[in-house]
Amino acid sequence: MTTRYRLIQLLADGTFFSGESLGQQLGISRAAVWKQIRSLADLGLDVHAVRGRGYRLSSSLELLDQAVIQQALATEFASCLDSCEVMQSLDSTSDHLKRCVVPVQPGRAHACLAEWQTAGRGRRGRPWVSPYGSNLYLSLAWGFDAVPGGLSGLSLAAGVAVVRALRLIGVQDAGLKWPNDILFRGGKLAGILVDLAGESSGPCSVIIGVGINMNMPANVAGTISQPWSDLSEFQGRISRNILAASLLNEMVRMLREFSCQGLTGFLDEWRRYDVIAGQTVSLQTGQGTILGKVCGIDEQGGLQVSSQGSIKSYHSGEISVRLAG
Ligand code: BTN
């Protein structure tokens, strides 16, 4: 492990360390400690330097621990996981899996988590802000044989899996905004990106990437281009490792269910978590912008919008909720 990551491990508990003691433990000079400390800002970490006391992180970090995650996996799901890597830094956990594990055998899975993503990807080509150690960045690659009804509903089913995982660890009021944004207290808490390798009608591999904001550091929060939220009010009560395991369990459970029955078995639950049904929205589609009232989702997962006296289903697009008036 590099000096930089050993330094983060030392600082992770959030208490003060003098430059001298850090230098001793890392086997480097105090000047080199100072240089390393300054470089932590590039990872999105916020370090306080106080004369006479030393250095500390602005808040403590629970670092990812592969052993803790694997121990918390349900045996029935762990048995189909061929690998579960925990990395310090990657461009993107989804791109890493795409390079390294595709094609995946039907019914088998590979998982990858990273403390930091240097090129985290969001939907519609947006970046996903991925500072070190404070949020979750997780991807799961899964092999499908053939899926009843195709893969079009998979991203909605993945949203249900993320809400289930959050509920299981005590976050009860997370909801879904079509197609698969996870909202919490008015902002986007988590996002899902589904990448497909192969043909959606035959054997293929999918990579589902999930980012969950847990404790977004103030120094990167300003770079996020949409209203967001995080789980910072639960800080200390929700373990990143346990949430990661809960997410893996729920994703594998969902993928098995989805392989047999497609989206059908998830529709009722998706509708229960829907936070935009009944709202007036503008939907940007490839053909233009539609203004209308959301009437929920259809059996294929399309968004039903009532506009100018008729209801139509849309299968892609970006929603903005319009404020009354
Ligand atoms: C969205 O824009 O709503 C989707 C965000 C998905 C982010 C996750 S973080 C883990 C995985 N790796 C990536 O590069 N993106 C996804």
Side-chain angles (χ1 to χ4, degrees):
M1 191 181 279
T2 63
T3 306
R4 190 190 232 187
Y5 296 128
R6 282 168 53 221
L7 172 63
I8 297 172
Q9 277 187 332
L10 291 171
L11 293 172
D13 69 4
T15 61
F16 275 108
F17 289 84
S18 68
E20 195 179 345
S21 95
L22 289 172
Q24 269 168 7
Q25 294 180 73
L26 296 169
I28 58 176
S29 68
R30 280 172 59 181
V33 169
W34 169 234
K35 215 171 134 197
Q36 290 285 345
I37 292 274
R38 269 192 322 186
S39 81
L40 296 187
D42 301 340
L43 284 70
L45 286 171
D46 200 9
V47 186
H48 294 171
V50 176
R51 196 184 289 267
R53 299 193 73 186
Y55 307 106
R56 72 159 191 201
L57 291 176
S58 58
S59 54
S60 61
L61 300 177
E62 180 204 349
L63 297 175
L64 295 174
D65 184 329
Q66 188 167 19
V68 175
I69 296 172
Q70 272 183 322
Q71 231 164 31
L73 291 177
T75 326
E76 56 172 320
F77 302 134
S79 64
C80 63
L81 207 53
D82 286 337
S83 64
C84 180
E85 287 181 289
V86 175
M87 312 288 274
Q88 290 294 329
S89 147
L90 280 174
D91 50 353
S92 147
T93 51
S94 292
D95 291 344
H96 174 75
L97 288 181
K98 210 181 294 174
R99 285 188 297 262
C100 300
V101 305
V102 165
V104 182
Q105 291 295 310
R108 309 295 304 169
H110 293 263
C112 174
L113 293 105
E115 291 286 15
W116 177 37
Q117 294 187 123
T118 53
R121 289 188 294 116
R123 289 175 57 229
R124 307 190 157 260
R126 294 194 185 108
W128 187 257
V129 175
S130 308
Y132 188 98
S134 32
N135 301 323
L136 266 191
Y137 322 115
L138 177 156
S139 297
L140 188 80
W142 178 264
F144 278 109
D145 223 333
V147 182
L151 283 175
S152 65
L154 181 61
S155 75
L156 278 83
V160 169
V162 175
V163 174
R164 285 177 181 171
L166 286 164
R167 289 185 173 229
L168 280 171
I169 55 136
V171 181
Q172 298 303 333
D173 38 357
L176 290 168
K177 174 185 161 205
W178 186 88
N180 59 12
D181 281 354
I182 287 87
L183 301 193
F184 176 65
R185 315 246 157 117
K188 179 158 165 173
L189 174 70
I192 298 169
L193 189 68
V194 179
D195 292 307
L196 176 70
E199 292 297 317
S200 64
S201 50
C204 64
S205 306
V206 292
I207 298 166
I208 303 180
V210 182
I212 301 187
N213 299 331
M214 294 196 69
N215 189 23
M216 190 64 82
N219 55 349
V220 294
T223 63
I224 304 177
S225 60
Q226 51 192 328
W228 59 275
S229 59
D230 67 11
L231 298 176
S232 48
E233 75 181 63
F234 292 94
Q235 215 204 338
R237 280 184 290 141
I238 292 182
S239 152
R240 289 174 77 222
N241 288 297
I242 299 301
L243 178 54
S246 175
L247 205 51
L248 288 173
N249 282 335
E250 293 311 315
M251 298 269 272
V252 174
R253 186 200 305 279
M254 173 279 289
L255 285 159
R256 280 187 174 171
E257 283 171 34
F258 193 89
S259 304
C260 303
Q261 40 171 321
L263 183 62
T264 316
F266 297 91
L267 285 169
D268 285 350
E269 204 172 343
W270 201 100
R271 288 172 177 140
R272 278 208 302 283
Y273 301 150
D274 185 352
V275 291
I276 55 157
Q279 303 227 35
T280 302
V281 299
S282 70
L283 176 72
Q284 274 165 284
T285 70
Q287 284 73 52
T289 302
I290 287 102
L291 245 187
K293 191 170 161 182
V294 173
C295 308
I297 55 168
D298 65 20
E299 302 293 292
Q300 284 72 45
L303 182 77
Q304 295 181 301
V305 180
S306 155
S307 177
Q308 296 177 334
S310 71
I311 297 180
K312 279 195 193 146
S313 283
Y314 297 88
H315 292 273
S316 67
E318 174 91 343
I319 290 183
S320 330
V321 176
R322 315 265 309 181
L323 294 175

